[in-house]
């Protein structure tokens, strides 16, 4: 079933259970709708998140697109950046959308996930190789250290509020309330 071939389709089904002399049958139907990406996520959020990994000049064309032209503009944007045009999908687009969805689901609160420090790092570099989590350590705020071993990077995030609002820090002294 290829959902891209239609906007709406009714899927009908029939189920039959037989156990000894007992037989139960029922049927039903589901309405299938083809949802586009921009129904699920805000256009402006997607374009704004692209700004984390691409230059503003690269996404400039997407910023002023009319709503009816967004799907084509999105497709054109990713077609230009397709690392392997022979495959039926764009690996970079899929990677971006997976990361975007992850940060929206896991780091959103009063601030949208891609606008948080952890969200920006995750979208740019992907999942860390290792996370050192210190939620309760005497004399310090809760903190996490994200390691990207192959990139030789590490990021320290501190939650000074106690509400899961982790901020990227530059100075290790920011971990300790006495400083």
């Amino acid at each position: 079933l290829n959902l891209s071939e239609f906007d709406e389709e009714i899927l009908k089904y029939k189920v039959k259970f037989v156990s000894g002399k007992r037989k139960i049958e029922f049927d039903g139907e589901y309405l299938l709708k083809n949802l586009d990406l921009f129904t699920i996520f805000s256009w402006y959020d997607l374009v704004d998140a692209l700004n984390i990994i691409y230059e503003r000049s690269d996404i400039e064309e997407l910023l002023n697109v009319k709503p009816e032209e967004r799907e084509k503009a999105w497709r054109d944007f990713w077609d230009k950046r397709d690392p392997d045009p022979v495959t039926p999908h764009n690996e970079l687009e899929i990677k971006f959308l997976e990361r975007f969805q992850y940060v929206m689901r896991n780091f959103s609160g009063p601030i949208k996930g891609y606008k948080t420090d952890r969200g920006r790092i995750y979208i740019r570099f992907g999942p860390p190789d290792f996370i050192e989590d210190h939620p309760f350590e005497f004399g310090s705020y809760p903190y996490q250290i994200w390691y990207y071993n192959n990139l030789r990077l590490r990021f320290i995030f501190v939650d000074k509020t106690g509400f899961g609002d982790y901020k990227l820090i530059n100075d290790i002294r920011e971990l300790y309330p006495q400083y």
Side-chain angles (χ1 to χ4, degrees):
L1 185 62
N2 184 357
L3 294 179
S4 63
E5 294 177 0
F6 55 84
D7 291 327
E8 284 187 9
E9 180 101 1
I10 295 177
L11 176 66
K12 296 183 180 189
Y13 62 90
K14 187 176 284 267
V15 179
K16 182 193 265 188
F17 292 105
V18 179
S19 176
K21 294 181 181 179
R22 267 184 101 175
K23 183 167 76 170
I24 301 171
E25 291 185 46
F26 61 92
D27 57 353
E29 57 186 49
Y30 284 106
L31 174 65
L32 300 175
K33 289 185 139 202
N34 189 14
L35 292 177
D36 66 27
L37 177 66
F38 315 118
T39 303
I40 300 167
F41 297 114
S42 157
W43 172 258
Y44 298 105
D45 287 338
L46 286 164
V47 173
D48 199 20
L50 281 173
N51 203 31
I52 296 167
I53 50 178
Y54 292 103
E55 297 294 323
R56 178 105 174 152
S57 59
D58 292 336
I59 63 168
E60 195 71 41
E61 62 194 52
L62 296 174
L63 295 172
N64 300 317
V65 172
K66 295 177 186 169
E68 61 273 9
E69 298 170 357
R70 288 177 179 169
E71 190 170 337
K72 182 181 179 332
W74 183 263
R75 189 66 24 237
D76 291 346
F77 176 85
W78 286 107
D79 284 347
K80 291 177 193 171
R81 291 157 180 82
D82 193 345
D84 191 358
V86 177
T87 61
H89 53 275
N90 183 325
E91 296 79 8
L92 282 179
E93 179 187 15
I94 290 170
K95 187 186 298 186
F96 168 76
L97 291 173
E98 286 173 348
R99 291 175 182 183
F100 180 81
Q101 185 177 12
Y102 181 87
V103 302
M104 292 298 280
R105 187 175 49 242
N106 291 288
F107 302 138
S108 289
I111 298 172
K112 293 181 180 182
Y114 74 92
K115 291 184 176 187
T116 65
D117 288 350
R118 290 187 300 172
R120 288 196 318 270
I121 296 298
Y122 193 95
I123 285 176
R124 183 162 191 123
F125 299 106
D129 296 315
F130 180 72
I131 297 175
E132 197 177 305
D133 196 10
H134 299 270
F136 308 105
E137 194 168 288
F138 183 74
S140 77
Y141 295 112
Y143 67 99
Q144 291 182 338
I145 305 173
W146 289 15
Y147 295 93
Y148 292 87
N149 297 330
N150 292 340
L151 301 173
R152 296 183 178 180
L153 293 172
R154 96 176 163 183
F155 299 97
I156 302 172
F157 302 94
V158 178
D159 178 14
K160 291 183 179 181
T161 65
F163 292 105
D165 183 25
Y166 285 84
K167 301 283 187 195
L168 182 62
I169 63 166
N170 295 321
D171 188 344
I172 197 74
R173 290 177 291 181
E174 292 184 56
L175 282 175
Y176 306 102
Q178 60 269 27
Y179 288 105

